[in-house]
Amino acid sequence: TCTATGQPITLTTSIARSGEGEIWQTDQPGMLAKIYFSADWQRVRKLNVMVANPPQDPNADMNHISFAWAKSLLQDETGACVGFLMPEIADSVQLLDVYNPLRRQKVLPGFNWLYLHTTAMNIASIIGAIHQAGYVVGDIKPENILVNDRALPAIIDTDSFQVRDPE
């Protein structure tokens, strides 16, 4: 159940798995769910802080999602937190596919030096917005940065960020 709306959420297809949980497509268009194998009180508190205090998205005016930020917690039938809902980052490739010339030629053949520089500047602006909001990117690696064909990146795995509770 989504804690923000009270509506049930159906997990449809598992799309990724890590040591701490699983990412699922949901019956909510444009939304994914991360379901933890174990959600302790510290993780739940961290998610609550993130949901209540999202950073400003520097690319929102371009109709782009710059980070897969937790939008709402998810609860099981007993009321225990099991994960969170986040926006899906669609139609993007991993950063490795952008900066590796051979891979870039296959997946983004129109990407030239201008696109590469624009991508780098956009990554810097996104990380700047995250830091300005008081968060620290905890796991910055190419697999956690997706880029679309407009040189607009998005950061995923945001629940690995270091979070300071403003209270």
Side-chain angles (χ1 to χ4, degrees), residues 64-111:
H64 177 72
I65 299 166
S66 296
F67 21 75
W69 201 260
K71 297 291 184 188
S72 174
L73 272 57
L74 294 172
Q75 295 177 331
D76 65 13
E77 59 281 346
T78 69
C81 178
V82 294
F84 64 93
L85 274 180
M86 63 185 152
E88 179 179 21
I89 309 299
D91 303 321
S92 297
V93 298
Q94 289 185 1
L95 183 61
L96 177 62
D97 292 326
V98 174
Y99 69 72
N100 179 295
L102 294 176
R103 292 174 78 156
R104 181 174 63 244
Q105 207 169 37
K106 291 178 183 173
V107 298
L108 292 169
F111 250 54

Side-chain angles (χ1 to χ4, degrees), residues 13-64:
T13 307
S14 174
I15 60 173
R17 187 179 178 97
S18 70
E20 64 182 14
E22 207 165 355
I23 306 296
W24 289 82
Q25 290 179 328
T26 71
D27 61 346
Q28 304 295 305
M31 298 301 282
L32 299 177
K34 181 167 188 177
I35 305 299
Y36 294 108
F37 300 131
S38 172
D40 61 24
W41 70 269
Q42 293 166 323
R43 178 168 286 162
V44 173
R45 179 67 187 141
K46 178 181 185 177
L47 291 171
N48 275 313
V49 169
M50 292 178 72
V51 168
N53 303 287
Q56 291 282 62
D57 189 330
N59 296 309
D61 61 335
M62 290 185 269
N63 200 27
H64 177 72

